[in-house]
Amino acid sequence: MIEPIQDFYAVIPAGGIGSRLWPLSRADAPKFLHDLTGSGHSLLRDTWDRLEPLAGPDRIAVVTGRAHRAAVEAELPGIDDLNVFLESEPRESAAAIGLAAAILHRRDPEVIIGSFSADHVIRGTQVFEWAVQQAVQVAREGYICTIGIPPTEPSVGFGYIRKAGELVVDGAPEAALVERFVEKPDLETAKEYVADRSYLWNAGMFIAKASVLLGELAANEPELYAGLSELAEAWDDRERRGPAVDRIWPKLKKIAIDYAVAEPAAERGRLAVIPGHFDWDDVGDFASLTKLITHGRKNDLAVLGPNARVLSDAASGILVSQTNRVISLVGVQDIVVVDTPDALLVTTVEHAQRVKGVVESLKLTGQGDVL
Amino acid sequence: MIEPIQDFYAVIPAGGIGSRLWPLSRADAPKFLHDLTGSGHSLLRDTWDRLEPLAGPDRIAVVTGRAHRAAVEAELPGIDDLNVFLESEPRESAAAIGLAAAILHRRDPEVIIGSFSADHVIRGTQVFEWAVQQAVQVAREGYICTIGIPPTEPSVGFGYIRKAGELVVDGAPEAALVERFVEKPDLETAKEYVADRSYLWNAGMFIAKASVLLGELAANEPELYAGLSELAEAWDDRERRGPAVDRIWPKLKKIAIDYAVAEPAAERGRLAVIPGHFDWDDVGDFASLTKLITHGRKNDLAVLGPNARVLSDAASGILVSQTNRVISLVGVQDIVVVDTPDALLVTTVEHAQRVKGVVESLKLTGQGDVL
């Protein structure tokens, strides 16, 4: 057991629905509320459990939509009401993480925050903790520090971070500066990145003094910064908070924190990275979910659903069962079957990325009742 | 419009469940009760409608299980109660057709019966009628007459009939003698049959004087004949019928009419055939159902189900929807998806024959609730 880091606060943005996991993920049951690993807990809860030893139970904040408040509080019975930051609507990651930074900075100007997605899967607790501990050391030096994952394959589904030279920080022997962020590459480029060994996957983790993060926001997105500051000033006054959110939040710029904070910081040599030698996956689609559950064994059929009644014969891929129906899969390879009470998806691992298009089509054809 | 044939009685054995169409076909919803063509009617009703001009509404008998009585009468509101012959349990086609022959023969010793499966699909009414009219002429001459389908492809799913020489019968210019019946062949043999042109598909249609058919049964299966005669003698006495069925029916030999009647008759030169130049399919599995609905167009997705809510993208094959769920098929070729309230099947056209194995497995694993 480790001791919580004194000046550290963990922030969990719990926002994205996970459209490419439809019809498992829904507007009212987003990805972070699902148990995708068979752990018996939601991804959100797994995230909390992973952060609690590092931050302590009273110093973990969740930024989520008003609609998910009850579900989040049910998943995290230990959460302090003061640490649930509710958005009136989704405004992307810069607003979500910036809001947490602004509120926590008002409460403690010296606080170091670490932001970790609510719906990623990580295996290897101690290695994760060691990476965060190092990142906090780097953050204390005034850097924004990310944790990058050494790629195990040429994935085209993730962004990459290119390391520059080493960064000498006490207690952070693996620290390096970041040269730049790279968008999702094509396969050839991804292969080069993997061979190069100076590229890491961008896992969307950012650790920084709240003041430093807000400083970057102020420099790069002054209007967003102003809105967040105004919100934070009203936040801990219960009477003023709601009206302030209603007035300010919907006008905030929608921008990813990568663009609003991380990339500009990298350009100025203020972004550092710690390599995270743990298993990490953003479980972005059914292909990655299949791989996660089968551990990459090609001929396995992954079954997700505690009450699944499955009869399979020469079938591989993934079956998600949310009903108590008998499901028979015969002679289908690398299949994706997601069986829910009001919607059924049948596709293949190869076409997993196209599910997002299904969601778009359902919107366009007025079938939003199943989204 | 044609006039009904005076001495003709149509018999519809409505027995088989259609296991290879599970979970569409069920013990309590067998294949013949389904609308598989999108005609708006069940196959049974289509069969009735096809036979009514030939026999008249009062001269069509249905042999079915006691369990299906209500469903059959609902499908066929015009049927005379006297023409519904109820089995206490399935005993195969020789018993079913033999029972009808024995009962109708007692009512009219000169009657000619024609037996037509309740769950086949036929397109081309006039050509069908012309084939039956010829077959009745042949039957009047004391032959058992079948209607064989000129093969349009080397199917390995049907039995074949080999024609011998022509048979000169007035009013039946296409009549021929049958040399022999052939079981389902392998593909090479089937190709030879198609090239040979003296082979026809066995469509399970038999037209004969009831007396002739019973004579064959008496010669080949004397115990079965004796049981059926005893049953027929008691049949039209309402008080004796039920007890007689309970006592005699379960002991009758299970044998197909092909073996009990048609093959022995062919050996003795007493089986004739009329070629049926209409589209015919026994719709034995989802491959044949797919072909039927798509008319063989390879890239089509056949959708069966009046309330289907389908969103497909680069999908072909067949979707059967018995629920009102949204079903999305993405990038799956030659797929078979059958969505029912309590069971879901996902397979491919190629593996359609394996569905019967699923049904066996469900029985063996105690999941008979969905059969």
Side-chain angles (χ1 to χ4, degrees):
Chain A
M1 281 293 290
I2 60 169
E3 287 292 308
I5 304 165
Q6 287 295 320
D7 48 352
F8 182 63
Y9 225 103
V11 174
I12 307 175
I17 289 171
S19 291
R20 282 170 298 162
L21 292 177
W22 180 90
L24 176 62
S25 291
R26 304 289 185 102
D28 60 356
K31 182 179 154 201
F32 61 81
L33 291 176
H34 291 279
D35 170 13
L36 296 187
T37 63
S39 73
H41 298 293
S42 67
L43 294 181
L44 173 63
R45 177 61 195 236
D46 285 341
T47 304
W48 170 281
D49 289 344
R50 197 159 47 235
L51 293 170
E52 194 181 340
L54 289 159
D58 301 329
R59 294 172 67 90
I60 307 176
V62 174
V63 190
T64 194
R66 284 175 178 166
H68 304 309
R69 179 185 193 154
V72 165
E73 291 181 347
E75 284 297 308
L76 309 176
I79 197 167
D80 188 325
D81 187 46
L82 280 172
N83 286 333
V84 181
F85 304 152
L86 296 175
E87 309 167 332
S88 57
E89 59 179 80
R91 295 312 289 175
E92 298 258 355
S93 58
I97 298 167
L99 175 67
I103 296 168
L104 296 172
H105 180 255
R106 278 193 73 87
R107 294 182 189 167
D108 172 6
E110 295 306 312
V111 71
I112 292 172
I113 67 168
S115 168
F116 304 89
S117 288
D119 56 10
H120 292 178
V121 170
I122 287 173
R123 286 174 175 148
T125 308
Q126 286 186 317
V127 191
F128 172 75
E129 289 168 353
W130 171 226
V132 176
Q133 286 164 331
Q134 290 185 76
V136 171
Q137 290 299 107
V138 175
R140 286 212 177 94
E141 301 296 319
Y143 292 92
I144 295 175
C145 189
T146 185
I147 296 173
I149 314 297
T152 52
E153 55 171 356
S155 171
V156 297
F158 306 136
Y160 286 70
I161 298 166
R162 175 160 194 163
K163 283 189 289 188
E166 266 185 48
L167 181 66
V168 179
V169 173
D170 224 30
E174 296 178 285
L177 278 174
V178 171
E179 183 186 296
R180 61 188 171 98
F181 272 55
V182 195
E183 299 277 337
K184 294 176 186 177
D186 61 28
L187 186 62
E188 278 313 299
T189 312
K191 284 179 180 168
E192 288 169 23
Y193 289 173
V194 174
D196 183 309
R197 301 177 71 88
S198 62
Y199 287 87
L200 303 167
W201 285 333
N202 174 11
M205 303 176 190
F206 295 101
I207 296 94
K209 285 187 182 171
S211 58
V212 171
L213 195 142
L214 292 168
E216 279 294 337
L217 262 185
N220 308 318
E221 297 291 341
E223 284 187 34
L224 178 55
Y225 171 76
L228 293 173
S229 299
E230 199 180 340
L231 265 173
E233 191 272 322
W235 198 266
D236 285 328
D237 180 337
R238 296 228 161 213
E239 291 191 10
R240 290 172 59 211
R241 182 196 301 169
V245 170
D246 291 337
R247 179 167 49 84
I248 300 165
W249 188 258
K251 294 181 191 150
L252 295 182
K253 182 170 177 180
K254 282 184 163 184
I255 181 171
I257 192 149
D258 302 44
Y259 304 129
V261 171
E263 289 186 8
E267 278 173 26
R268 296 192 299 104
R270 301 308 299 167
L271 189 74
V273 63
I274 298 290
H277 303 287
F278 44 82
D279 287 343
W280 167 87
D281 202 310
D282 75 344
V283 208
D285 59 31
F286 287 112
S288 99
L289 182 56
T290 305
K291 210 159 125 196
L292 184 78
I293 300 179
T294 61
H295 300 279
R297 287 187 297 266
K298 280 295 284 175
N299 293 319
D300 277 19
L301 177 68
V303 177
L304 209 64
N307 303 314
R309 289 177 71 187
V310 189
L311 194 75
S312 73
D313 175 11
S316 68
I318 187 167
L319 166 64
V320 181
S321 167
Q322 292 194 321
T323 71
N324 59 358
R325 304 198 302 168
V326 166
I327 300 173
S328 180
L329 307 181
V330 179
V332 280
Q333 303 302 314
D334 294 323
I335 199 82
V336 173
V337 175
V338 185
D339 182 53
T340 78
D342 61 350
L344 169 68
L345 171 72
V346 179
T347 185
T348 63
V349 168
E350 185 196 351
H351 292 105
Q353 291 276 337
R354 291 167 80 165
V355 173
K356 197 162 190 167
V358 172
V359 169
E360 296 304 320
S361 296
L362 286 168
K363 275 181 202 158
L364 291 174
T365 55
Q367 301 188 82
D369 57 311
V370 294
L371 292 180
Chain B
M1 282 293 290
I2 59 170
E3 287 292 309
I5 304 165
Q6 286 295 318
D7 48 352
F8 182 64
Y9 225 104
V11 174
I12 307 175
I17 289 170
S19 291
R20 282 170 297 164
L21 292 177
W22 179 88
L24 176 62
S25 291
R26 304 290 184 102
D28 61 356
K31 182 180 152 199
F32 61 81
L33 291 176
H34 290 279
D35 170 14
L36 296 187
T37 63
S39 72
H41 298 294
S42 66
L43 295 181
L44 172 63
R45 177 60 197 236
D46 286 340
T47 304
W48 170 282
D49 288 344
R50 196 156 50 233
L51 293 169
E52 195 181 340
L54 289 159
D58 301 329
R59 293 172 67 89
I60 307 176
V62 174
V63 191
T64 193
R66 284 177 177 165
H68 304 310
R69 180 186 190 153
V72 165
E73 291 180 347
E75 283 298 308
L76 309 176
I79 197 167
D80 188 327
D81 188 45
L82 280 171
N83 285 334
V84 181
F85 304 151
L86 297 175
E87 309 167 330
S88 56
E89 59 178 81
R91 296 314 287 173
E92 298 258 353
S93 59
I97 298 167
L99 175 67
I103 296 168
L104 296 172
H105 179 255
R106 277 194 72 89
R107 294 183 189 166
D108 172 5
E110 295 306 313
V111 71
I112 291 172
I113 66 167
S115 167
F116 304 89
S117 288
D119 57 8
H120 293 178
V121 170
I122 286 172
R123 285 176 177 146
T125 307
Q126 288 186 316
V127 191
F128 172 74
E129 289 169 352
W130 171 226
V132 175
Q133 286 164 329
Q134 291 187 78
V136 170
Q137 289 300 107
V138 175
R140 287 211 177 94
E141 301 296 320
Y143 292 93
I144 296 175
C145 190
T146 185
I147 296 173
I149 313 298
T152 52
E153 55 170 355
S155 171
V156 297
F158 305 137
Y160 287 70
I161 298 166
R162 175 160 194 164
K163 283 190 287 188
E166 266 185 46
L167 181 66
V168 179
V169 173
D170 225 31
E174 295 178 286
L177 279 174
V178 170
E179 183 186 295
R180 60 188 170 95
F181 272 56
V182 195
E183 300 276 337
K184 294 176 186 176
D186 61 29
L187 187 61
E188 278 312 300
T189 313
K191 284 180 181 169
E192 289 168 23
Y193 290 173
V194 173
D196 184 309
R197 301 178 72 87
S198 60
Y199 288 87
L200 302 168
W201 284 334
N202 174 10
M205 303 176 190
F206 295 102
I207 296 94
K209 286 187 181 170
S211 59
V212 170
L213 195 141
L214 292 168
E216 280 293 338
L217 262 186
N220 307 319
E221 297 290 341
E223 285 187 33
L224 177 55
Y225 171 75
L228 292 172
S229 299
E230 199 181 338
L231 265 173
E233 191 271 323
W235 198 267
D236 283 331
D237 181 338
R238 296 227 161 215
E239 292 193 6
R240 290 170 60 212
R241 181 196 300 170
V245 170
D246 290 338
R247 180 168 48 85
I248 299 165
W249 187 259
K251 292 182 189 147
L252 295 182
K253 183 172 177 180
K254 281 185 164 183
I255 182 170
I257 192 148
D258 302 44
Y259 304 130
V261 171
E263 289 186 7
E267 279 173 26
R268 295 192 300 103
R270 302 307 299 166
L271 190 75
V273 63
I274 299 290
H277 304 287
F278 43 83
D279 288 342
W280 168 87
D281 202 309
D282 75 344
V283 208
D285 59 31
F286 287 113
S288 99
L289 182 58
T290 305
K291 209 159 125 193
L292 183 79
I293 300 180
T294 61
H295 300 278
R297 287 187 296 267
K298 281 295 284 175
N299 294 322
D300 275 19
L301 178 68
V303 177
L304 209 63
N307 303 313
R309 290 178 70 186
V310 189
L311 193 76
S312 73
D313 176 12
S316 67
I318 188 167
L319 167 64
V320 181
S321 166
Q322 292 193 321
T323 71
N324 59 358
R325 304 196 303 168
V326 166
I327 300 173
S328 180
L329 307 181
V330 179
V332 279
Q333 303 303 314
D334 294 322
I335 198 84
V336 173
V337 175
V338 185
D339 182 52
T340 78
D342 61 350
L344 169 69
L345 172 72
V346 179
T347 185
T348 63
V349 168
E350 184 196 353
H351 292 104
Q353 291 276 337
R354 291 167 81 165
V355 173
K356 198 162 189 166
V358 172
V359 170
E360 297 303 321
S361 296
L362 287 168
K363 276 181 200 158
L364 291 173
T365 54
Q367 301 189 81
D369 56 310
V370 293
L371 292 179

